Amino acid sequence: MMSNPHPAARPGHNPELLALSREAALPPLSAAFAKVLAGFDDALFDRAETAGASQLVFLDGMRELRRRREDIAARFAAHLQQAWAALDAAAPLSAEATLAQATQGEGGLSLMSEHELESRLAVRNFAGVVLRDWKPVLARLDRRLAWIGGVEALDVDTNPIGPEHIGVAVHEAFGVCDLAAEVRLVLIKLCEREFATQVGRIYRDVDERLAQAGVMPGISQPQRPAAPARPARAPAMAEAAAETGMPQGGDEDFSDPQNAPAWARRFTERWARHRSELQAGVYGGYEGDPALGNQNMILEALHELLAQTRHVREDATAAAQVAVGQQRPLSQHEMMSVLSLLQATPTATLRAAVGDQSESLAQRLKNEVISGATRLGVDPGQARLDPQDEDAIDLVGMLFDVMLDERELEGRSRELIGRLVVPFVKVALLDRRMFVQKTHPARRLLNSLAEACEGNAGESQAERALMGKVEEIIDRLIAEFNENLAIFLTLEEEFRDFLAQHRRRIEIAERRATETQRGQEKLELARARALAELERRLQGAPLPAAIEAFLRQPWNHHLTMSLLREGDDGESVGETLALADVLLEEVAEARRHVVGKPWLQSIQPGLRKVFASVGLHGEGSVGAIDALHDTLQAIAEARPELERALPELPQVSLPTPPAQESAALDLGAEARPESVDHADAARFRAMDIGTWLDFIDKDGKVQAGKLSWVSPISSRLLFVNRRGIRFCVASPEELVVMERLGRLRPHMDDGAFDSAMQGVIERLDPQTSTLH
């Protein structure tokens, strides 16, 4: 075994170990790819036998694959060698950037085809499979290769032999072939099935070699630090936490208030100022554990606020029930039995409450619990809810009320999220930490499910697949959750992996939206310039019908497309403008009755090119030029009856500007430049790409929008929704007005749970909404 090559604390470049790693990784990866590639033509032949109408497509693909097999293998190896050379130069290559370069045409106008999008997504899915199956090994490889490469860090995007770079290598390898889109996708899927396992084994071999060579040997078997001792908690809470395998205390340092959720910071700041006696009451007994003390301070403050506002939130009937004589609180066992029944078979009234914004979900839940206890044989006149259990139901009920009211959850999405209410009441009774611990698995699962459902109308195959997975996860939670919180951890990890693949599709959709908007703005600019040039040439005396029709249709179209392709200073643009000027000069000569001039002789090649651009070739082009010639001759001879019209032109629609998108509301006169503060407009102009804002419609619904692109042409800002789809294009001035009208605000990216908790606090105690 070699000694650790870096005795100093700071790692440095080690060519010897890099060469060792390279030989352990690149040749085996290339050989494994070539081996599975050799069997792909047989797989395509088998697929052709069952492909029906697509049989010839797969047979052609099989022949192309055999013909270009060596080129494919060489391109695969070449990309990995390029990525490794970048690491050797201490400048790791980004797989994402490499993949994106393929569609960056000159001027940034090129758009990805659907086939390209699908191919990219397929290799990203392949990478996701490898990452999922070999994640621990890859995490060690990232650190070891970074160490010997003398770079600060490597990750899934920059590791030269990581799944992302192997995915790019596969994408580029098949890029050399002339393959139908469906054949290319089948080949990438075959790589996922037959190549991914071999890739993982090579990772394991490289990792073991580096460990044996003494590179960071301590990370081979990482040790979990022992959990610090915590004060005793309620038995049910302790038992539930033990079943999840989670640490017994909070995993966040609440001794630093900045680590608390945003809503909790604002709430406790106000609470501490206005109820100083509370602080003295809740800190006692927690001196040895400031994190646990601060968590409990938040929870106790919530309980007091709920108690103080209960009389406002409840109706007279509920208050009368609480006031009845010597009632005993329902036991923990009774509560769980009733909730388990409601979880498995929710009542019609509870389901209706999820869809009814006028009814308090919390109050309906409490009524259903009392009714359910009655069905279990409990005398309703002798039973009531324990105050802490009632608080848990209130908090969860209001949490879902806010989430369903304020987020873009409609139809099936609303129904699915509503089914989580009862399971989350059970979690709240078992483990109150859910309300204050950012990484609690139940909370993380709710965040992920809400993200998947929000704005998801099932309009695309990907959205429908995502909703299907949401339904599957919720069905399993309903069926399997008793009092063991570990199910949330299992389902959250599974759904997180699925959601990561969906996010990659969203990233592609966002890039496509940006490219489309960029292309539309360039088209709009080109069309405006062409129209201005046309109008300038149409000023003055009316032109003969054939001449004007030529300028308005084929010439205008040709000039617009030339501007779009080449920009203002393009050679074709200058030629097209000069052609119109010469044509108008000949019209002026004809009006001076110059007889015998060979009309249009100097510009005939240009005229043919213009007519060809709208699909008029050969005899059709000759006939159109003759019509222009005869019209000029008729003017020169002062015989207007001899003027000819242009022949019917092919139906080529002129480019039109993109539909003007509303900035989410009618801004009216307030959007005038003189009414907008320039400093506020500058603030929006300076926003970073990737910034999220909340757009609020007239009904109070909130939709988060991400700044995806700022136009260098119009300075307008493009926002996409959570699906990566364009939904707002607005100027900085329009955004200022929207903010002034309360229709725009900063987005608090704390997840659905924290955002809803902020809404709960504001409904309970409106004064907290002023604390930011």
Side-chain angles (χ1 to χ4, degrees):
M1 178 183 294
M2 294 177 61
S3 61
N4 192 322
H6 301 296
R10 186 175 183 180
H13 182 231
N14 189 305
E16 179 183 349
L17 285 177
L18 275 176
L20 172 71
S21 305
R22 182 183 182 282
E23 291 307 309
L26 298 195
L29 284 170
S30 298
F33 179 72
K35 183 176 179 180
V36 298
L37 184 65
F40 284 175
D41 52 355
D42 291 336
L44 291 181
F45 183 79
D46 294 340
R47 182 65 66 95
E49 292 183 335
T50 59
S54 300
Q55 184 180 58
L56 289 178
V57 171
F58 283 96
L59 291 175
D60 288 344
M62 179 187 71
R63 288 189 287 270
E64 176 71 1
L65 196 63
R66 288 176 177 173
R67 186 174 72 87
R68 304 301 297 270
R69 184 178 299 154
E70 291 183 3
D71 293 338
I72 296 169
R75 283 173 66 95
F76 175 87
H79 176 75
L80 294 186
Q81 290 165 2
Q82 177 190 4
W84 192 275
L87 172 63
D88 206 8
L93 187 66
S94 164
E96 177 67 27
T98 304
L99 201 57
Q101 286 175 0
T103 55
Q104 294 299 319
E106 290 187 14
L109 184 61
S110 60
L111 301 178
M112 279 185 286
S113 66
E114 290 295 333
H115 297 164
E116 175 71 13
L117 291 174
E118 291 296 334
S119 177
R120 283 194 184 196
L121 184 61
V123 296
R124 299 294 293 271
N125 286 342
F126 163 78
V129 168
V130 177
L131 179 62
R132 181 193 65 207
D133 293 343
W134 299 92
K135 193 171 184 177
V137 178
L138 277 163
R140 297 196 296 271
L141 270 178
D142 286 345
R143 294 180 63 187
R144 285 182 168 133
L145 290 177
W147 178 263
I148 65 176
V151 297
E152 183 176 349
L154 290 175
D155 56 24
V156 68
D157 183 53
T158 54
N159 185 332
I161 57 171
E164 293 288 352
H165 268 297
I166 291 180
V168 175
V170 169
H171 181 272
E172 294 193 352
F174 290 123
V176 75
C177 298
D178 182 15
L179 298 170
E182 56 189 308
V183 176
R184 191 183 306 272
L185 294 178
V186 166
L187 291 173
I188 296 173
K189 193 66 179 177
L190 288 171
C191 285
E192 182 180 315
R193 189 179 73 191
E194 300 182 19
F195 184 39
T197 301
Q198 298 183 50
V199 170
R201 291 171 182 161
I202 294 169
Y203 287 159
R204 187 175 56 200
D205 291 344
V206 176
D207 182 59
E208 289 175 356
R209 287 200 189 188
L210 288 174
Q212 292 169 4
V215 180
M216 306 181 76
I219 65 170
S220 296
Q221 294 180 335
Q223 299 295 320
R224 179 184 295 273
R230 299 292 185 189
R233 299 184 298 163
M237 183 187 281
E239 181 181 350
E243 288 174 341
T244 67
M246 296 186 299
Q248 294 296 298
D251 60 352
E252 300 154 298
D253 180 14
F254 270 66
S255 59
D256 178 2
Q258 294 305 310
N259 284 337
W263 66 265
R265 292 199 304 270
R266 291 195 290 269
F267 171 55
T268 50
E269 284 168 9
R270 182 196 176 279
W271 205 260
R273 286 206 299 269
H274 294 278
R275 296 169 174 84
S276 57
E277 69 278 6
L278 173 71
Q279 189 171 6
V282 298
Y283 275 118
Y286 300 110
E287 294 88 346
D289 189 348
L292 190 60
N294 278 278
Q295 286 187 0
N296 278 275
M297 184 188 78
I298 295 169
L299 290 169
E300 294 303 324
L302 280 171
H303 284 305
E304 182 170 334
L305 182 57
L306 286 165
Q308 292 183 1
T309 59
R310 182 163 290 125
H311 69 283
V312 177
R313 292 178 285 111
E314 294 182 342
D315 56 30
T317 303
Q321 288 179 344
V322 174
V324 172
Q326 300 297 318
Q327 297 167 317
R328 69 171 181 84
L330 292 175
S331 68
Q332 180 96 1
H333 176 72
E334 290 169 330
M335 286 290 297
M336 286 298 164
S337 297
V338 172
L339 290 169
S340 294
L341 285 175
L342 285 173
Q343 176 178 300
T345 54
T347 64
T349 53
L350 183 57
R351 290 197 302 269
V354 170
D356 186 358
Q357 298 183 12
S358 64
E359 182 174 8
S360 164
L361 192 53
Q363 189 58 50
R364 172 53 56 189
L365 277 167
K366 288 187 284 189
N367 292 341
E368 294 295 333
V369 168
I370 294 297
S371 298
T374 303
R375 291 195 297 272
L376 291 177
V378 176
D379 184 354
Q382 299 296 317
R384 61 178 173 82
L385 297 175
D386 180 88
Q388 285 213 348
D389 292 348
E390 191 172 4
D391 285 348
I393 295 175
D394 277 333
L395 277 176
V396 173
M398 287 188 288
L399 180 86
F400 277 85
D401 271 337
V402 172
M403 192 179 302
L404 294 171
D405 285 351
E406 296 187 355
R407 301 188 87 84
E408 195 181 358
L409 298 168
E410 302 294 342
R412 187 182 177 203
S413 296
R414 188 180 186 86
E415 177 188 345
L416 289 172
I417 295 298
R419 292 176 62 194
L420 296 171
V421 175
V422 175
F424 271 79
V425 171
K426 291 171 68 175
V427 177
L429 295 178
L430 291 167
D431 188 1
R432 296 191 306 162
R433 295 177 307 158
M434 177 182 71
F435 292 109
V436 292
Q437 192 177 69
K438 290 181 181 179
T439 56
H440 194 284
R443 180 170 170 165
R444 289 169 58 175
L445 179 62
L446 181 59
N447 284 338
S448 296
L449 292 172
E451 178 186 340
C453 287
E454 189 169 7
N456 189 342
E459 295 175 354
S460 68
Q461 179 62 35
E463 288 185 343
R464 290 190 289 273
L466 183 62
M467 289 299 291
K469 187 65 175 179
V470 169
E471 187 164 12
E472 175 195 329
I473 292 291
I474 292 176
D475 284 344
R476 287 175 55 188
L477 179 64
I478 298 297
E480 300 175 27
F481 176 41
N482 40 49
E483 283 142 49
N484 186 344
L485 299 180
I487 185 65
F488 285 91
L489 190 62
T490 301
L491 294 178
E492 191 275 328
E493 289 178 348
E494 178 182 330
F495 189 67
R496 188 196 323 151
D497 290 341
F498 188 91
L499 192 58
Q501 296 181 27
H502 185 74
R503 285 180 182 138
R504 288 176 176 173
R505 184 180 285 273
I506 291 173
E507 290 171 7
I508 293 173
E510 180 184 343
R511 287 197 294 271
R512 188 173 183 83
T514 298
E515 291 167 2
T516 300
Q517 183 67 23
R518 181 186 292 114
Q520 285 184 338
E521 293 224 351
K522 292 188 73 172
L523 173 59
E524 185 178 356
L525 187 66
R527 187 179 185 280
R529 166 78 191 282
L531 186 60
E533 294 289 350
L534 173 65
E535 294 300 328
R536 189 166 63 84
R537 286 163 175 78
L538 293 180
Q539 291 176 358
L543 293 173
I547 304 297
E548 183 172 348
F550 168 77
L551 292 174
R552 287 191 181 278
Q553 296 177 56
W555 181 82
N556 187 21
H557 178 275
H558 184 68
L559 177 60
T560 301
M561 300 312 294
S562 297
L563 287 163
L564 190 59
R565 286 191 300 265
E566 302 177 9
D568 288 351
D569 301 324
E571 181 179 351
S572 181
V573 173
E575 291 175 353
T576 307
L577 293 173
L579 181 145
D581 293 338
V582 171
L583 178 60
L584 293 175
E585 287 175 6
E586 297 211 355
V587 171
E589 285 190 61
R591 283 174 170 165
R592 293 195 295 270
H593 305 296
V594 176
V595 180
K597 178 179 170 122
W599 305 108
L600 308 178
Q601 185 172 4
S602 64
I603 59 173
Q604 283 204 20
L607 292 172
R608 284 194 293 270
K609 184 185 295 186
V610 170
F611 283 120
S613 73
V614 295
L616 201 63
H617 303 276
E619 291 299 323
S621 175
V622 170
I625 294 173
D626 285 346
L628 295 175
H629 176 278
D630 292 349
T631 294
L632 291 173
Q633 185 68 35
I635 296 170
E637 295 177 358
R639 299 183 63 186
E641 71 277 6
L642 298 180
E643 291 185 24
R644 291 175 53 191
L646 284 179
E648 184 176 354
L649 299 173
Q651 293 298 312
V652 177
S653 59
L654 288 172
T656 57
Q660 292 297 316
E661 298 196 34
S662 169
L665 75 163
D666 182 10
L667 302 177
E670 295 197 54
R672 289 198 302 259
E674 60 270 19
S675 70
V676 174
D677 185 280
H678 294 297
D680 287 338
R683 173 167 51 87
F684 282 110
R685 286 192 186 93
M687 275 197 312
D688 294 330
I689 298 296
T691 300
W692 287 85
L693 298 176
D694 283 340
F695 293 79
I696 308 162
D697 68 15
K698 57 183 174 58
D699 297 321
K701 291 287 185 182
V702 178
Q703 181 174 9
K706 176 185 175 184
L707 178 58
S708 181
W709 180 69
V710 179
S711 169
I713 298 172
S714 66
S715 298
R716 289 183 293 183
L717 293 83
L718 165 68
F719 291 89
V720 296
N721 61 18
R722 293 190 183 278
R723 309 269 79 79
I725 305 301
R726 177 180 64 181
F727 86 98
C728 179
V729 180
S731 68
E733 291 75 18
E734 288 173 320
L735 295 175
V736 171
V737 176
M738 292 167 66
E739 184 179 49
R740 182 189 303 161
L741 296 177
R743 307 295 286 273
L744 187 70
R745 70 187 184 197
H747 176 71
M748 300 298 294
D749 193 15
D750 290 328
F753 191 100
D754 276 322
S755 296
M757 276 302 299
Q758 177 63 40
V760 170
I761 298 303
E762 291 175 3
R763 292 186 182 190
L764 288 171
D765 190 0
Q767 294 182 61
T768 59
S769 66
T770 63
L771 286 168
H772 294 282

